[in-house]
Amino acid sequence: MKALILVGGFGTRLRPLTLSVPKPLVDFANKPMILHQIEALKAIGVTEVVLAINYQPEVMLNFLKDFEAKLGIRITCSQETEPLGTAGPLALARDKLADGSGEPFFVLNSDVISEYPLKEMIGFHKSHGGEASIMVTKVDEPSKYGVVVLEEATGQVERFVEKPKLFVGNKINAGIYLLNPSVLGRIKLRPTSIEKEVFPKIAAEKMLYAMVLPGFWMDIGQPRDYITGLRLYLDSLRKKDASKLAPGTHIVGNVLVHESAPIGEGCLIGPDVAIGPGCVVEAGVRLSRCTVMRGVRIKKHACISSSIIGWHSTVGQWARVENMTILGEDVHVCDEIYSNGGVVLPHKEIKSSILKPEIVM
């Protein structure tokens, strides 16, 4: 089987982290976002993953070459010279995806994190005999999204309603698809939206089916959702493999700590924290609802909540970092500094407090 991951462009919503690496390589729960997807695809027998990308393909491929060997899966790039939307990249990669076998292929949005029930999706796709299957997820506020209206008994998609004012349903497109090669014949090589142009036509022919995603789902393409996604991911990890979570009296709730990261005396860590490789957490530190990426040093008695600390940054003694503060790579927050929602670009030193949410260039 093959799969296409829609990697897309600049990842502006996750800046300043995406100023250092392309968005799919930003760490989530101690490994690059895209690796969660590639590992899930490999686990159900996918042998080749095509990355549809229009920004820094060489950075992505150089990075993923290591994993290609480790995971035993082929990773190739399909590079766009202009942004082609969510369907155009399929037309561009047609030769890679249609190999004559007639086998369906997966398409995933690179921002999506979930339990990836891909094996169940293959069974679902074969059972209904349609042309395409999409994963949908239930949401509390459907009016913010495009809603998928489907027949509950069979999963057959009836129509799509964009940001409905009146309630028509609570299921939205989860960005995970399984498509027959014939779908490629419906797409022209130009900027096209699969959600707005391709799927409605397949639905009109009663050949599109939707499977309700079991477990959690989150689009982690922006900081607030990234932090929520981490909570959901760690929750799911506790149910599936709690041994991967950190134990100890200094741990509250679900916490992921890389084995190469020492934690000092008298710390209180959690809930919903990921501490990456090579980090140093000194004595008396308090961490909650945050991600601390590779090579970060957090000095004594610092307090970090609801924030993302980028690679190789430092948070000084008695510093307080909160309210969706995002530190880019190699940012140094001095001792006793307060950051309330600061978004700090890479390679900066913060010597005075950030009292209200602002971008520090």
Side-chain angles (χ1 to χ4, degrees):
M1 279 190 89
K2 296 187 176 182
L4 178 92
I5 300 179
L6 296 165
V7 171
F10 302 110
T12 50
R13 297 179 306 161
L14 263 189
R15 283 181 183 160
L17 301 167
T18 48
L19 296 173
S20 298
V21 298
K23 180 175 60 178
L25 299 185
V26 170
D27 299 334
F28 176 83
N30 291 356
K31 63 183 159 196
M33 272 183 208
I34 200 163
L35 213 54
H36 291 272
Q37 299 190 329
I38 292 173
E39 286 175 354
L41 289 164
K42 165 69 182 167
I44 52 116
V46 169
T47 53
E48 183 177 349
V49 174
V50 181
L51 306 177
I53 188 166
N54 64 16
Y55 174 61
Q56 291 188 319
E58 58 296 329
V59 178
M60 288 282 290
L61 275 183
N62 290 343
F63 178 86
L64 290 167
K65 280 290 167 232
D66 296 351
F67 290 103
E68 205 177 33
K70 272 183 211 159
L71 294 171
I73 191 167
R74 189 157 175 246
I75 301 171
T76 58
C77 250
S78 171
Q79 192 188 353
E80 305 164 35
T81 49
E82 59 163 336
L84 289 171
T86 49
L90 277 74
L92 188 64
R94 183 177 281 126
D95 296 347
K96 291 176 189 269
L97 295 171
D99 55 4
S101 69
E103 278 287 302
F105 57 89
F106 281 101
V107 177
L108 283 81
N109 284 343
S110 68
D111 296 353
V112 166
I113 202 91
S114 77
E115 284 171 15
Y116 307 116
L118 305 178
K119 194 176 177 194
E120 295 87 322
M121 196 174 189
I122 295 171
F124 172 76
H125 186 74
K126 286 184 174 156
S127 72
H128 65 63
E131 193 176 10
S133 300
I134 65 174
M135 201 79 87
V136 294
T137 185
K138 292 178 182 173
V139 291
D140 295 335
E141 286 184 61
S143 60
K144 293 197 320 201
Y145 304 91
V147 171
V148 183
V149 182
L150 54 114
E151 193 181 73
E152 293 293 331
T154 61
Q156 191 179 81
V157 175
E158 293 169 4
R159 61 198 164 100
F160 295 85
V161 184
E162 193 54 41
K163 297 187 177 166
K165 296 276 183 284
L166 297 170
F167 184 83
V168 290
N170 64 348
K171 295 178 187 74
I172 65 162
N173 179 346
I176 302 171
Y177 318 130
L178 187 55
L179 311 177
N180 287 351
S182 57
V183 173
L184 295 169
R186 297 174 176 269
I187 303 168
K188 293 189 171 56
L189 184 52
R190 59 174 175 81
T192 318
S193 162
I194 199 165
E195 302 86 357
K196 294 192 171 93
E197 297 172 68
V198 181
F199 287 156
K201 285 180 183 160
I202 303 176
E205 294 171 26
K206 302 200 179 316
M207 293 295 278
L208 181 66
Y209 289 78
M211 172 181 155
V212 180
L213 179 84
F216 79 100
W217 176 89
M218 201 70 211
D219 175 333
I220 54 173
Q222 51 191 340
R224 198 169 291 282
D225 295 339
Y226 175 106
I227 294 287
T228 303
L230 181 65
R231 172 175 63 78
L232 297 171
Y233 174 86
L234 294 176
D235 251 3
S236 159
L237 191 60
R238 174 160 302 282
K239 293 185 190 107
K240 287 200 327 218
D241 190 0
S243 65
K244 288 185 176 167
L245 296 171
T249 52
H250 61 299
I251 300 288
V252 184
N254 300 330
V255 175
L256 202 56
V257 180
H258 194 271
E259 67 264 17
S260 63
I263 307 272
E265 290 287 306
C267 290
L268 189 58
I269 313 289
D272 309 323
V273 173
I275 299 172
C279 291
V280 176
V281 179
E282 294 184 1
V285 164
R286 174 76 181 103
L287 304 177
S288 63
R289 295 183 308 284
C290 64
T291 285
V292 180
M293 292 183 182
R294 182 180 59 252
V296 166
R297 183 174 205 100
I298 301 171
K299 296 188 176 174
K300 292 175 185 173
H301 306 292
C303 177
I304 301 171
S305 68
S306 302
S307 296
I308 302 173
I309 311 300
W311 311 269
H312 307 291
S313 293
T314 311
V315 177
Q317 294 187 32
W318 296 102
R320 188 179 181 93
V321 173
E322 61 187 27
N323 189 26
M324 284 298 143
T325 291
I326 316 293
L327 304 186
E329 182 181 15
D330 180 41
V331 169
H332 303 284
V333 175
C334 293
D335 295 349
E336 299 180 26
I337 291 295
Y338 172 57
S339 171
N340 171 23
V343 173
V344 185
L345 273 64
H347 316 297
K348 303 289 294 179
E349 188 175 20
I350 302 298
K351 293 178 176 172
S352 55
S353 289
I354 301 166
L355 299 177
K356 61 181 195 307
E358 63 176 296
I359 296 170
V360 180
M361 303 291 276

